[in-house]
Amino acid sequence: MRIRSSVFACFCLILEVLGIALFLRGFFPVPIKSSFSSKSKLSDVPPEPFTGVLSLNSSKVPDALFKRVVIVLIDALREDFVFGPNGRKYMPYIRHLVERGSTHSFVAKARPPTVTMPRIKALTTGSIPGFIDVVMNLNSPALLEDNLIWQAKAAGKRMVFYGDDTWVKLFPKHFMEYDGTTSFFVSDYTEVDNNVTRHLDSTLKRDDWDILILHYLGLDHIGHISGPHSSLIQPKLMEMDDILKKIHGSLILKEAEGALPYLLVLCGDHGMSETGSHGGSSEHEVNTPLVLISPAFKKKVGMEKPSTVEQVDLTPTLALGLGLPISQNSVGRLIQPVVDEASLRDQLRFLHLNGHQLSYLLKDSMPAYEKEEGYEQFRVAEKSHGNWVKLVVEGNTSEVLTNMGKKVFKQYLEALRAMSEALSKQLGKYDIYSMVVGMVLVFQVGIGVLFLFNSRIFCVSASEVDLPVSSALLSLPFYLLCLLLSSVHVLVCTSAESSCYFCSLSWGLVFGAVALSSALLCILSPSHGGVSGGWSLSELDILLLVGTAGHTLSLSASSFVEEEHQVWYFLLNTLCLVVFQDVCRKYFRERRANFGSLEDEDYILPSNEGDAVASPLADLGVMDAGSEKWLALATPPLTLACCRLLRSLNQTGVQWAHLPDLGHWLNSFEHKMVLSLFAALSLALIYFLVQRRCSWVSKIALALGLLGVYSYRAAVGNVVFPWQHGGGNMSKGTVEARFVYVFVLGILFTGSKDLLRSQVITADARLKSRGLWEIYSGVVLLVALLFRAHNLPVLCCCLLVQTLMAQFIWKKLHYDAAQTTIMHYWFGQAFFYFQGNSNSIATVDISVGFVGLESYVEAPAFFLTALSTYAGPLLWAAHLVCYLSSEKRSSVAVGHGCYCLALLRSVPAAAYVVLVTALRYHLFIWSVFSPKLLYESMHTLLTVAICLFFTTMEQSRRP
């Protein structure tokens, strides 16, 4: 059966998309949410358990424990800033209250992702947000889920808020008074806090509010700028300590005789890593202090080690303390010491309400909820509680009653713990069957198409494909496969403990999918039609294939994900050794005729002089045959040396990220002159490596732009000019950065103009190549501006390795497009880690998003942050495009290549499936590293697609 290749390509693309969608449908866990669309109400509160005939038990929430609540949330407040050895120096007043005051102190563990918006959702709803909230953090939508703020407003509580405007976006029209401040302009760590504090005096004097929420941002911004050990940390924490002292003093003065006490809450939304960022799961990022201050608590007699609670536990605690219903989706449990001073009956009632809410959420989330240990324990505790209440109503006052009440109390605590843990673990439930079905479909289409287009049997012409549909549908394997897959489906769906999405489909639809899958497997089978033969693999091919597959498999182990950079460093070193072997073989073992013929010299770099500028070294007159041989031999060792130097520049990963490195040494104040020298030399070498490929206009713009980069770094205090002796800075670098942006845009415009002219006006390959290289140089200039001063050698080494490898390795050793593509991919991944990045969100430097900006603007901030983070892979991918476009190769099989490119882009989806499937049993890794892994999987898809595309084109050229 002959069909048009475009139709076949579209059909395969649709199947690939369906397979990936089905896989993702099973991979992403169903969120823990109650099935009730409405929010909790006081009328829905269950009555107090009672086993007697008379219904004398209470059906309402016990009276509120606190009249007023003040929540002071200090963004990025680490646990050791309060409870650590420096706590007395950083926050002396709070530390005194922790040791001697009427307080309860805890270490509240935040769940990854440790980003502000998900943490606010966790604090107000008691639920555990997912990583999708990291993206939504940039533009927080209104929170429609049942939450503490809505419950307080519904109960008539008057609320006032000052601080991070994320609260205002999440809870619009909930506060009677508010003043929001954007949290994303991290260069400012004074005005964001002053904007909160300026309202304090007038607000504290008033009596027209019940809940006051203050969200301070300065500490978080300092961390992003200079880290947790900056000299700015102590003054900022002392400022926060003075503010808390003022608030506490005002609450004490307003305390009335016989009235309900106040509650002052000091907490952090997340912590701060050793690099000053957050988002991951290190101890410093997830451990935050929680200090509850109230005259209702007993005074301390000394410093006690704070116990550990979950951050979501604050939600039910505040709800019950204010006499409000607990949010329906809360997985938190009551912080028991807070209610220690209440009567035993009220304590049991609080625990019963918390347990009732968790049990109903458990029912909605798990079909087999009755088998859960926590649910059974709660039912037992509830029954015992009813017996105890009956004795209390009957007037029993014996010691047996007290002991029985304490026993019920312990039963409730154990039941709450078990149900909370069961609900938290529900996040790791996956629809395995749907994942397997999607994976099989993707692999089937991808591998089948790969064999199809690398065989001559099916390819009739550039526009048609001959598929043996009739013979495949009438074959015995087709019917056997249909029976096998149908029986597997019946077996899985009748024995599955939980519902599967694929099992919920109609039998007709399932049978159609089974028949389609069986037919595709028979049609695209590599053995069908007599497909034979294979590719001959060199040592380099084996290394590239085994290395890529081995890296993917390594992601099934948490340690390999945490220290993934070690894998790439090892692969890169091995690659250099194999390349060195190929170089030695070429120059010492092989004696080819016509060595160095014109046909080999196909790597053309445009210049003003004409045709024959191959590299910057050619202009220096050192490119004779002998020197070329030794330069080729020196390239792999020099690449190894560069990689070893860059490994020492930035510690990354998880286990050893805290160790000092060369970057820390360079950034210290006493070594600023050394850093300045390194930065200046790096910028000069960057210009030397890039300018030869550009027009004279772009050369001038590039030189001025790199000078502006150094001026910007001097303006912000990272480096110094030789004549600069004072420490004062004239500006924050805004003018200097914008100066560089002008030249970046100019170079990009010049390159785009040349590229457009080569495509529209004249078919000039040289003009096209120059346009691509100029766009590439504009990106290099922008990356140089965004990179921190100590990372400029990373950019310099990146360009140096690209130049040497392009001139002496890829061209001279006749590596094909597939090999070159995979090598570019490996180098790009390694340079991602050379920058100091890791698989944790905490290593994302968001401060670069505000280079040249005076206020927060979402689009450029997001773009600059992403560009800086993934500069390594981006530069190597861009270089690949420029390098391949600069080769003197005829455009063969263009028609064949067009539809192959469209089709083969979908083939490597199998790599994505393997990657995420390996993470199935590693929930911790998924919760911490998924953003990087999702990005990397998509990057892998594109890279392997390009590799397969050019491989297919190479195959099509062969006779």
mmCIF file of all heavy atoms in Angstrom, residues 111-148:
data_model
loop_
_atom_site.group_PDB
_atom_site.id
_atom_site.type_symbol
_atom_site.label_atom_id
_atom_site.label_comp_id
_atom_site.label_asym_id
_atom_site.label_seq_id
_atom_site.Cartn_x
_atom_site.Cartn_y
_atom_site.Cartn_z
ATOM 1 N N ARG A 111 7.931 21.187 52.231
ATOM 2 C CA ARG A 111 8.085 20.190 51.161
ATOM 3 C C ARG A 111 8.566 20.876 49.880
ATOM 4 O O ARG A 111 8.132 21.980 49.573
ATOM 5 C CB ARG A 111 6.749 19.490 50.883
ATOM 6 C CG ARG A 111 6.220 18.652 52.028
ATOM 7 C CD ARG A 111 7.036 17.403 52.238
ATOM 8 N NE ARG A 111 6.438 16.524 53.230
ATOM 9 C CZ ARG A 111 5.652 15.498 52.938
ATOM 10 N NH1 ARG A 111 5.364 15.231 51.677
ATOM 11 N NH2 ARG A 111 5.150 14.738 53.890
ATOM 12 N N PRO A 112 9.463 20.230 49.132
ATOM 13 C CA PRO A 112 9.826 20.789 47.823
ATOM 14 C C PRO A 112 8.595 20.855 46.922
ATOM 15 O O PRO A 112 7.722 19.985 47.040
ATOM 16 C CB PRO A 112 10.851 19.780 47.280
ATOM 17 C CG PRO A 112 11.338 19.043 48.483
ATOM 18 C CD PRO A 112 10.186 18.995 49.427
ATOM 19 N N PRO A 113 8.468 21.839 46.052
ATOM 20 C CA PRO A 113 9.462 22.867 45.768
ATOM 21 C C PRO A 113 9.433 23.996 46.790
ATOM 22 O O PRO A 113 8.358 24.483 47.144
ATOM 23 C CB PRO A 113 9.037 23.393 44.395
ATOM 24 C CG PRO A 113 7.549 23.176 44.365
ATOM 25 C CD PRO A 113 7.293 21.914 45.155
ATOM 26 N N THR A 114 10.602 24.381 47.262
ATOM 27 C CA THR A 114 10.700 25.443 48.259
ATOM 28 C C THR A 114 10.727 26.801 47.566
ATOM 29 O O THR A 114 11.738 27.508 47.545
ATOM 30 C CB THR A 114 11.960 25.227 49.112
ATOM 31 O OG1 THR A 114 13.070 24.944 48.243
ATOM 32 C CG2 THR A 114 11.774 24.079 50.075
ATOM 33 N N VAL A 115 9.591 27.139 46.997
ATOM 34 C CA VAL A 115 9.382 28.407 46.310
ATOM 35 C C VAL A 115 8.199 29.095 46.974
ATOM 36 O O VAL A 115 7.305 28.444 47.517
ATOM 37 C CB VAL A 115 9.133 28.188 44.801
ATOM 38 C CG1 VAL A 115 8.999 29.502 44.065
ATOM 39 C CG2 VAL A 115 10.266 27.371 44.194
ATOM 40 N N THR A 116 8.173 30.414 46.921
ATOM 41 C CA THR A 116 7.258 31.197 47.748
ATOM 42 C C THR A 116 5.789 30.841 47.549
ATOM 43 O O THR A 116 5.073 30.534 48.501
ATOM 44 C CB THR A 116 7.468 32.697 47.479
ATOM 45 O OG1 THR A 116 8.796 33.055 47.873
ATOM 46 C CG2 THR A 116 6.481 33.531 48.276
ATOM 47 N N MET A 117 5.299 30.875 46.317
ATOM 48 C CA MET A 117 3.868 30.675 46.113
ATOM 49 C C MET A 117 3.382 29.293 46.559
ATOM 50 O O MET A 117 2.370 29.182 47.253
ATOM 51 C CB MET A 117 3.501 30.940 44.655
ATOM 52 C CG MET A 117 2.004 31.138 44.424
ATOM 53 S SD MET A 117 1.108 29.606 44.205
ATOM 54 C CE MET A 117 1.416 29.304 42.473
ATOM 55 N N PRO A 118 4.065 28.202 46.207
ATOM 56 C CA PRO A 118 3.634 26.905 46.735
ATOM 57 C C PRO A 118 3.667 26.841 48.255
ATOM 58 O O PRO A 118 2.826 26.181 48.871
ATOM 59 C CB PRO A 118 4.645 25.925 46.117
ATOM 60 C CG PRO A 118 5.122 26.598 44.892
ATOM 61 C CD PRO A 118 5.138 28.048 45.215
ATOM 62 N N ARG A 119 4.611 27.526 48.858
ATOM 63 C CA ARG A 119 4.693 27.514 50.327
ATOM 64 C C ARG A 119 3.535 28.287 50.948
ATOM 65 O O ARG A 119 3.008 27.907 51.999
ATOM 66 C CB ARG A 119 6.024 28.126 50.779
ATOM 67 C CG ARG A 119 7.251 27.348 50.397
ATOM 68 C CD ARG A 119 7.256 25.949 50.989
ATOM 69 N NE ARG A 119 6.686 24.947 50.118
ATOM 70 C CZ ARG A 119 5.872 23.983 50.491
ATOM 71 N NH1 ARG A 119 5.496 23.872 51.745
ATOM 72 N NH2 ARG A 119 5.392 23.123 49.642
ATOM 73 N N ILE A 120 3.132 29.396 50.319
ATOM 74 C CA ILE A 120 1.977 30.141 50.831
ATOM 75 C C ILE A 120 0.725 29.291 50.707
ATOM 76 O O ILE A 120 -0.121 29.269 51.621
ATOM 77 C CB ILE A 120 1.824 31.477 50.067
ATOM 78 C CG1 ILE A 120 3.023 32.389 50.345
ATOM 79 C CG2 ILE A 120 0.532 32.177 50.457
ATOM 80 C CD1 ILE A 120 3.000 33.681 49.558
ATOM 81 N N LYS A 121 0.587 28.579 49.604
ATOM 82 C CA LYS A 121 -0.561 27.682 49.449
ATOM 83 C C LYS A 121 -0.555 26.597 50.521
ATOM 84 O O LYS A 121 -1.599 26.233 51.068
ATOM 85 C CB LYS A 121 -0.552 27.046 48.062
ATOM 86 C CG LYS A 121 -0.904 27.999 46.941
ATOM 87 C CD LYS A 121 -0.903 27.303 45.593
ATOM 88 C CE LYS A 121 -2.019 26.282 45.481
ATOM 89 N NZ LYS A 121 -2.093 25.695 44.124
ATOM 90 N N ALA A 122 0.624 26.069 50.827
ATOM 91 C CA ALA A 122 0.712 25.033 51.849
ATOM 92 C C ALA A 122 0.337 25.588 53.223
ATOM 93 O O ALA A 122 -0.352 24.927 54.008
ATOM 94 C CB ALA A 122 2.128 24.454 51.884
ATOM 95 N N LEU A 123 0.763 26.811 53.516
ATOM 96 C CA LEU A 123 0.477 27.405 54.821
ATOM 97 C C LEU A 123 -0.991 27.751 54.986
ATOM 98 O O LEU A 123 -1.503 27.781 56.112
ATOM 99 C CB LEU A 123 1.326 28.668 55.014
ATOM 100 C CG LEU A 123 2.820 28.446 55.308
ATOM 101 C CD1 LEU A 123 3.582 29.758 55.178
ATOM 102 C CD2 LEU A 123 3.004 27.859 56.704
ATOM 103 N N THR A 124 -1.683 28.035 53.900
ATOM 104 C CA THR A 124 -3.072 28.476 54.007
ATOM 105 C C THR A 124 -4.090 27.374 53.714
ATOM 106 O O THR A 124 -5.215 27.432 54.202
ATOM 107 C CB THR A 124 -3.333 29.644 53.049
ATOM 108 O OG1 THR A 124 -2.958 29.262 51.718
ATOM 109 C CG2 THR A 124 -2.533 30.875 53.465
ATOM 110 N N THR A 125 -3.703 26.369 52.921
ATOM 111 C CA THR A 125 -4.634 25.284 52.617
ATOM 112 C C THR A 125 -4.305 23.996 53.370
ATOM 113 O O THR A 125 -5.165 23.138 53.522
ATOM 114 C CB THR A 125 -4.643 24.960 51.107
ATOM 115 O OG1 THR A 125 -3.354 24.453 50.725
ATOM 116 C CG2 THR A 125 -4.953 26.203 50.290
ATOM 117 N N GLY A 126 -3.057 23.858 53.805
ATOM 118 C CA GLY A 126 -2.642 22.632 54.455
ATOM 119 C C GLY A 126 -2.360 21.507 53.483
ATOM 120 O O GLY A 126 -2.032 20.397 53.899
ATOM 121 N N SER A 127 -2.467 21.762 52.177
ATOM 122 C CA SER A 127 -2.199 20.743 51.166
ATOM 123 C C SER A 127 -0.743 20.841 50.717
ATOM 124 O O SER A 127 -0.023 21.762 51.102
ATOM 125 C CB SER A 127 -3.137 20.912 49.973
ATOM 126 O OG SER A 127 -2.970 22.184 49.388
ATOM 127 N N ILE A 128 -0.321 19.879 49.900
ATOM 128 C CA ILE A 128 1.057 19.843 49.416
ATOM 129 C C ILE A 128 1.051 20.193 47.938
ATOM 130 O O ILE A 128 0.655 19.374 47.106
ATOM 131 C CB ILE A 128 1.673 18.450 49.640
ATOM 132 C CG1 ILE A 128 1.632 18.094 51.124
ATOM 133 C CG2 ILE A 128 3.097 18.409 49.118
ATOM 134 C CD1 ILE A 128 2.162 16.712 51.441
ATOM 135 N N PRO A 129 1.463 21.397 47.565
ATOM 136 C CA PRO A 129 1.454 21.797 46.156
ATOM 137 C C PRO A 129 2.466 20.999 45.352
ATOM 138 O O PRO A 129 3.388 20.384 45.888
ATOM 139 C CB PRO A 129 1.837 23.287 46.204
ATOM 140 C CG PRO A 129 1.612 23.693 47.623
ATOM 141 C CD PRO A 129 1.884 22.482 48.451
ATOM 142 N N GLY A 130 2.289 21.023 44.027
ATOM 143 C CA GLY A 130 3.189 20.319 43.126
ATOM 144 C C GLY A 130 4.089 21.285 42.390
ATOM 145 O O GLY A 130 4.059 22.508 42.604
ATOM 146 N N PHE A 131 4.896 20.725 41.459
ATOM 147 C CA PHE A 131 5.867 21.551 40.755
ATOM 148 C C PHE A 131 5.227 22.452 39.715
ATOM 149 O O PHE A 131 5.853 23.400 39.258
ATOM 150 C CB PHE A 131 6.925 20.667 40.092
ATOM 151 C CG PHE A 131 8.165 20.568 40.903
ATOM 152 C CD1 PHE A 131 8.352 19.513 41.772
ATOM 153 C CD2 PHE A 131 9.138 21.544 40.827
ATOM 154 C CE1 PHE A 131 9.495 19.420 42.528
ATOM 155 C CE2 PHE A 131 10.276 21.462 41.580
ATOM 156 C CZ PHE A 131 10.469 20.398 42.430
ATOM 157 N N ILE A 132 3.988 22.189 39.349
ATOM 158 C CA ILE A 132 3.326 23.103 38.428
ATOM 159 C C ILE A 132 3.186 24.480 39.062
ATOM 160 O O ILE A 132 3.135 25.502 38.388
ATOM 161 C CB ILE A 132 1.933 22.552 38.015
ATOM 162 C CG1 ILE A 132 1.329 23.398 36.903
ATOM 163 C CG2 ILE A 132 1.009 22.478 39.212
ATOM 164 C CD1 ILE A 132 2.098 23.372 35.617
ATOM 165 N N ASP A 133 3.170 24.502 40.402
ATOM 166 C CA ASP A 133 3.053 25.777 41.098
ATOM 167 C C ASP A 133 4.319 26.609 40.986
ATOM 168 O O ASP A 133 4.290 27.817 41.232
ATOM 169 C CB ASP A 133 2.719 25.547 42.572
ATOM 170 C CG ASP A 133 1.331 24.952 42.755
ATOM 171 O OD1 ASP A 133 0.368 25.617 42.342
ATOM 172 O OD2 ASP A 133 1.215 23.837 43.279
ATOM 173 N N VAL A 134 5.456 25.983 40.643
ATOM 174 C CA VAL A 134 6.670 26.758 40.427
ATOM 175 C C VAL A 134 6.494 27.684 39.241
ATOM 176 O O VAL A 134 6.896 28.851 39.260
ATOM 177 C CB VAL A 134 7.872 25.816 40.212
ATOM 178 C CG1 VAL A 134 9.115 26.613 39.886
ATOM 179 C CG2 VAL A 134 8.088 24.957 41.440
ATOM 180 N N VAL A 135 5.880 27.173 38.167
ATOM 181 C CA VAL A 135 5.616 28.000 36.994
ATOM 182 C C VAL A 135 4.563 29.057 37.316
ATOM 183 O O VAL A 135 4.695 30.229 36.949
ATOM 184 C CB VAL A 135 5.153 27.118 35.819
ATOM 185 C CG1 VAL A 135 4.875 27.963 34.593
ATOM 186 C CG2 VAL A 135 6.214 26.072 35.513
ATOM 187 N N MET A 136 3.524 28.631 38.026
ATOM 188 C CA MET A 136 2.452 29.567 38.374
ATOM 189 C C MET A 136 2.933 30.619 39.359
ATOM 190 O O MET A 136 2.287 31.651 39.541
ATOM 191 C CB MET A 136 1.270 28.794 38.965
ATOM 192 C CG MET A 136 0.640 27.812 37.983
ATOM 193 S SD MET A 136 -0.609 26.760 38.733
ATOM 194 C CE MET A 136 -1.865 27.970 39.118
ATOM 195 N N ASN A 137 4.068 30.372 39.994
ATOM 196 C CA ASN A 137 4.627 31.335 40.931
ATOM 197 C C ASN A 137 4.927 32.665 40.250
ATOM 198 O O ASN A 137 4.936 33.718 40.885
ATOM 199 C CB ASN A 137 5.901 30.759 41.554
ATOM 200 C CG ASN A 137 6.470 31.652 42.639
ATOM 201 O OD1 ASN A 137 5.771 32.030 43.566
ATOM 202 N ND2 ASN A 137 7.741 31.988 42.513
ATOM 203 N N LEU A 138 5.189 32.626 38.926
ATOM 204 C CA LEU A 138 5.494 33.845 38.197
ATOM 205 C C LEU A 138 4.268 34.720 38.006
ATOM 206 O O LEU A 138 4.380 35.931 37.882
ATOM 207 C CB LEU A 138 6.090 33.494 36.827
ATOM 208 C CG LEU A 138 7.393 32.683 36.885
ATOM 209 C CD1 LEU A 138 7.792 32.257 35.488
ATOM 210 C CD2 LEU A 138 8.493 33.496 37.539
ATOM 211 N N ASN A 139 3.105 34.135 37.992
ATOM 212 C CA ASN A 139 1.876 34.915 37.831
ATOM 213 C C ASN A 139 0.766 34.193 38.579
ATOM 214 O O ASN A 139 -0.044 33.487 37.998
ATOM 215 C CB ASN A 139 1.533 35.080 36.347
ATOM 216 C CG ASN A 139 0.380 36.035 36.135
ATOM 217 O OD1 ASN A 139 0.048 36.829 37.013
ATOM 218 N ND2 ASN A 139 -0.247 35.945 34.980
ATOM 219 N N SER A 140 0.732 34.358 39.890
ATOM 220 C CA SER A 140 -0.134 33.569 40.756
ATOM 221 C C SER A 140 -1.603 33.857 40.481
ATOM 222 O O SER A 140 -2.039 35.012 40.567
ATOM 223 C CB SER A 140 0.180 33.886 42.220
ATOM 224 O OG SER A 140 1.555 33.750 42.456
ATOM 225 N N PRO A 141 -2.387 32.829 40.171
ATOM 226 C CA PRO A 141 -3.829 33.033 40.001
ATOM 227 C C PRO A 141 -4.529 33.012 41.353
ATOM 228 O O PRO A 141 -3.953 32.631 42.368
ATOM 229 C CB PRO A 141 -4.239 31.828 39.144
ATOM 230 C CG PRO A 141 -3.275 30.756 39.554
ATOM 231 C CD PRO A 141 -1.982 31.445 39.887
ATOM 232 N N ALA A 142 -5.780 33.415 41.350
ATOM 233 C CA ALA A 142 -6.554 33.401 42.591
ATOM 234 C C ALA A 142 -6.731 31.965 43.071
ATOM 235 O O ALA A 142 -6.979 31.055 42.289
ATOM 236 C CB ALA A 142 -7.914 34.055 42.358
ATOM 237 N N LEU A 143 -6.610 31.773 44.370
ATOM 238 C CA LEU A 143 -6.714 30.441 44.962
ATOM 239 C C LEU A 143 -8.181 30.153 45.260
ATOM 240 O O LEU A 143 -8.794 30.780 46.132
ATOM 241 C CB LEU A 143 -5.879 30.381 46.249
ATOM 242 C CG LEU A 143 -5.834 29.035 46.966
ATOM 243 C CD1 LEU A 143 -5.234 27.976 46.061
ATOM 244 C CD2 LEU A 143 -5.019 29.141 48.252
ATOM 245 N N LEU A 144 -8.752 29.191 44.529
ATOM 246 C CA LEU A 144 -10.155 28.826 44.696
ATOM 247 C C LEU A 144 -10.346 27.682 45.670
ATOM 248 O O LEU A 144 -11.463 27.403 46.093
ATOM 249 C CB LEU A 144 -10.761 28.457 43.334
ATOM 250 C CG LEU A 144 -10.662 29.531 42.232
ATOM 251 C CD1 LEU A 144 -11.253 29.009 40.941
ATOM 252 C CD2 LEU A 144 -11.328 30.823 42.681
ATOM 253 N N GLU A 145 -9.274 27.020 46.021
ATOM 254 C CA GLU A 145 -9.332 25.886 46.937
ATOM 255 C C GLU A 145 -9.670 26.365 48.349
ATOM 256 O O GLU A 145 -9.375 27.505 48.733
ATOM 257 C CB GLU A 145 -7.959 25.201 46.912
ATOM 258 C CG GLU A 145 -7.863 23.904 47.635
ATOM 259 C CD GLU A 145 -6.470 23.310 47.494
ATOM 260 O OE1 GLU A 145 -5.770 23.662 46.520
ATOM 261 O OE2 GLU A 145 -6.085 22.516 48.364
ATOM 262 N N ASP A 146 -10.332 25.511 49.128
ATOM 263 C CA ASP A 146 -10.661 25.836 50.510
ATOM 264 C C ASP A 146 -9.379 26.182 51.268
ATOM 265 O O ASP A 146 -8.392 25.442 51.215
ATOM 266 C CB ASP A 146 -11.354 24.645 51.175
ATOM 267 C CG ASP A 146 -12.003 25.026 52.495
ATOM 268 O OD1 ASP A 146 -11.977 26.214 52.868
ATOM 269 O OD2 ASP A 146 -12.519 24.117 53.177
ATOM 270 N N ASN A 147 -9.403 27.323 51.982
ATOM 271 C CA ASN A 147 -8.184 27.780 52.642
ATOM 272 C C ASN A 147 -8.513 28.561 53.907
ATOM 273 O O ASN A 147 -9.661 28.957 54.145
ATOM 274 C CB ASN A 147 -7.344 28.630 51.689
ATOM 275 C CG ASN A 147 -8.088 29.865 51.201
ATOM 276 O OD1 ASN A 147 -8.169 30.875 51.888
ATOM 277 N ND2 ASN A 147 -8.677 29.771 49.994
ATOM 278 N N LEU A 148 -7.519 28.765 54.699
ATOM 279 C CA LEU A 148 -7.667 29.432 55.991
ATOM 280 C C LEU A 148 -8.117 30.882 55.838
ATOM 281 O O LEU A 148 -8.925 31.377 56.632
ATOM 282 C CB LEU A 148 -6.334 29.366 56.742
ATOM 283 C CG LEU A 148 -6.283 29.978 58.141
ATOM 284 C CD1 LEU A 148 -7.171 29.203 59.103
ATOM 285 C CD2 LEU A 148 -4.842 29.993 58.664
#
